[in-house]
Amino acid sequence: MARSKKAALLLTEEDKQYLQKICNSRTEQVRRVERATILLHYADGMSSPQIAKRMGISVPNTDKCIKKALQFGVRQALEDFKRSGRPVELTPEARAWIVSLACQKPKELGYSYELWTMSLLAQHVRQHAMAEGHPSAARMAKGTVSRILSSHDLKPHKVSYYVERRDPDFDTKRAQVLHVYQQVEWKIENDNFQMSCDVVVSYDEKPGIQAIGTTSLDLPPVPGEHPTISRDYEYVRHGTVTLMAAIDLVSGEVLGSVVDRHRSREFVDFLKMLDTHYEPDLRIQVVLDNHSAHTSKETRAYLDTVPNRFEFVFTPKHGSWLNVIETFFSKMSRSFLRGIRVASKEELKERIELYLKEINANPIPFRWKYGMESAAK
């Protein structure tokens, strides 16, 4: 019995160049590269079984590609034909349901998660779509969920923070603090200006400064080899300390005390240090927050022993950002404390004290600007 003659695939020079370009491309889709290779081999006289064996694919797939090329042309054979049937369209009700889910926390729906991930939300949609009457969402993919949320500008996988006003006298206390800063500004601009108090300091504590030590020596940078300091990832903890600090708002001088704890006892000791530092006939105004140690019985008892020496101006609750010393602490964290390693708590204390001396060698007053327009009125 005679064998059937193989149908010939005639390629023009333009077709060959087109297929070769696809085969050599690094950005083309894999399926298009595979189909172009099949057609080139077939045009060179190879049979379907030979092509399949050489490329490691199935004979039916090879035959399908060749058949499409013979029937519809070379370029059409590289593409997928549209499948029959109309894809299920997501209904507006299903979209609204998905958006409402994203506005809830996963834990409210029985999950351990606090925030949604796209995978978890898509999984929940697929599992509950039929029961909730949204069959069009039964095969929901996380990419589709992401697009739906993006169209509504929803990002339930992220958290942004806000500060709730819990002080009914927030505006009044804020105005008092800004009034203090306004007087400082006038004093800096005109040394003859008389403030309501002779000295103004901004005070707070920076607790939990970690004394972290290395387990191996740091290796210095080497030009052309190691651009950075090399450090063993393991470390040891020696404990924590607290920096109690006040910045003189006119001179920029920082007064500090490094302690293990910050109770009323330590706060009173700090006030005594301020009392010793400034001339006895000067009145000291202190801008500070509402920490319990600042208003405790022990603190009030000490203030009674030095009448008219101190005047406290309290920032509002949740308004510690109004305290200038917080800016100093932020700079300290981003510069001096960043990456610091010490052998003990004692060394950490010594280096913080040295840092304060370096700051005070060239003190720079911080000039508060935010909200000063209203304070000047």
Side-chain angles (χ1 to χ4, degrees):
M1 182 177 180
R3 296 182 180 178
S4 59
K5 189 176 180 179
K6 182 178 73 169
L9 177 62
L10 301 178
L11 298 179
T12 65
E13 190 61 32
E14 183 182 354
D15 289 337
K16 289 182 181 180
Q17 292 179 1
Y18 179 72
L19 295 175
Q20 196 63 52
K21 183 179 179 181
I22 292 176
C23 291
N24 296 333
S25 174
R26 294 185 177 183
T27 58
E28 277 286 356
Q29 297 175 340
V30 174
R31 58 181 176 82
R32 284 170 56 82
V33 174
E34 182 180 273
R35 292 168 186 174
T37 306
I38 292 173
L39 297 182
L40 286 173
H41 286 329
Y42 186 76
D44 288 340
M46 294 179 65
S47 65
S48 293
Q50 290 173 331
I51 297 172
K53 183 177 180 180
R54 181 169 182 172
M55 297 182 60
I57 58 178
S58 67
V59 174
N61 280 346
T62 305
D63 287 335
K64 182 179 179 181
C65 178
I66 296 171
K67 184 177 179 181
K68 285 170 63 178
L70 293 172
Q71 187 174 357
F72 301 104
V74 171
R75 298 180 185 246
Q76 287 78 2
L78 301 180
E79 309 299 335
D80 289 326
F81 288 162
K82 292 184 178 180
R83 298 180 180 180
S84 60
R86 184 180 179 184
V88 178
E89 293 184 2
L90 197 63
T91 64
E93 293 76 14
R95 289 177 179 271
W97 174 59
I98 293 172
V99 170
S100 68
L101 288 175
C103 294
Q104 303 176 58
K105 286 188 175 182
K107 67 175 185 178
E108 297 171 356
L109 300 174
Y111 295 98
S112 61
Y113 288 69
E114 179 74 14
L115 304 176
W116 287 111
T117 65
M118 293 301 106
S119 297
L120 180 62
L121 183 53
Q123 173 188 312
H124 181 86
V125 170
R126 289 193 299 268
Q127 292 177 348
H128 298 83
M130 298 300 293
E132 295 292 333
H134 304 293
S136 61
R139 301 182 64 182
M140 180 63 57
K142 68 176 183 180
T144 306
V145 170
S146 180
R147 287 191 294 272
I148 292 172
L149 299 188
S150 295
S151 67
H152 289 79
D153 196 23
L154 287 176
K155 301 176 182 178
H157 58 292
K158 293 186 177 182
V159 175
S160 59
Y161 292 89
Y162 72 97
V163 177
E164 182 180 353
R165 283 198 177 192
R166 296 180 179 173
D167 192 334
D169 300 322
F170 183 93
D171 291 331
T172 301
K173 293 179 180 179
R174 173 179 173 272
Q176 291 172 347
V177 173
L178 293 181
H179 179 69
V180 172
Y181 295 160
Q182 183 65 76
Q183 291 198 59
V184 170
E185 185 73 11
W186 288 334
K187 180 67 175 178
I188 292 175
E189 294 178 352
N190 180 10
D191 189 57
N192 293 324
F193 175 77
Q194 295 296 318
M195 300 187 296
S196 59
C197 287
D198 304 293
V199 177
V200 180
V201 299
S202 170
Y203 168 85
D204 203 0
E205 303 93 1
K206 183 174 179 59
I209 303 175
Q210 296 192 69
I212 298 178
T214 58
T215 57
S216 303
L217 293 176
D218 284 350
L219 303 180
V222 178
E225 295 185 21
H226 303 289
T228 66
I229 293 174
S230 298
R231 173 173 290 168
D232 192 315
Y233 69 91
E234 291 189 348
Y235 59 88
V236 293
R237 299 180 187 271
H238 301 298
T240 61
V241 299
T242 293
L243 171 61
M244 308 176 72
I247 182 170
D248 189 309
L249 297 184
V250 175
S251 69
E253 181 184 14
V254 179
L255 305 174
S257 175
V258 185
V259 295
D260 292 327
R261 304 175 66 181
H262 57 291
R263 302 162 296 179
S264 298
R265 182 182 308 173
E266 285 76 21
F267 180 60
V268 169
D269 289 340
F270 191 88
L271 292 177
K272 291 179 180 179
M273 182 181 71
L274 290 178
D275 182 54
T276 303
H277 183 77
Y278 291 103
E279 295 295 330
D281 57 335
L282 300 180
R283 184 168 172 80
I284 305 170
Q285 193 172 51
V286 185
V287 178
L288 71 173
D289 62 22
N290 293 272
H291 191 281
S292 59
H294 305 162
T295 57
S296 66
K297 181 179 179 180
E298 188 173 349
T299 299
R300 293 197 303 271
Y302 167 71
L303 293 175
D304 289 340
T305 65
V306 284
N308 299 319
R309 178 61 162 165
F310 293 97
E311 177 183 313
F312 287 177
V313 178
F314 292 102
T315 59
K317 293 179 181 178
H318 283 197
S320 59
W321 53 272
L322 282 166
N323 208 344
V324 169
I325 194 67
E326 297 293 345
T327 303
F328 170 76
F329 287 155
S330 175
K331 180 181 178 181
M332 179 181 179
S333 297
R334 289 181 283 109
S335 56
F336 166 69
L337 292 177
R338 184 175 63 89
I340 192 171
R341 293 294 184 268
V342 294
S344 63
K345 286 174 59 174
E346 288 67 29
E347 181 187 346
L348 179 59
K349 291 180 181 180
E350 292 172 0
R351 290 179 64 176
I352 292 176
E353 291 168 355
L354 177 60
Y355 172 73
L356 297 180
K357 288 181 181 179
E358 293 169 350
I359 292 293
N360 291 330
N362 185 29
I364 300 175
F366 180 86
R367 307 183 72 169
W368 186 276
K369 297 297 182 183
Y370 179 76
M372 294 297 283
E373 299 83 1
S374 60
K377 295 178 180 179

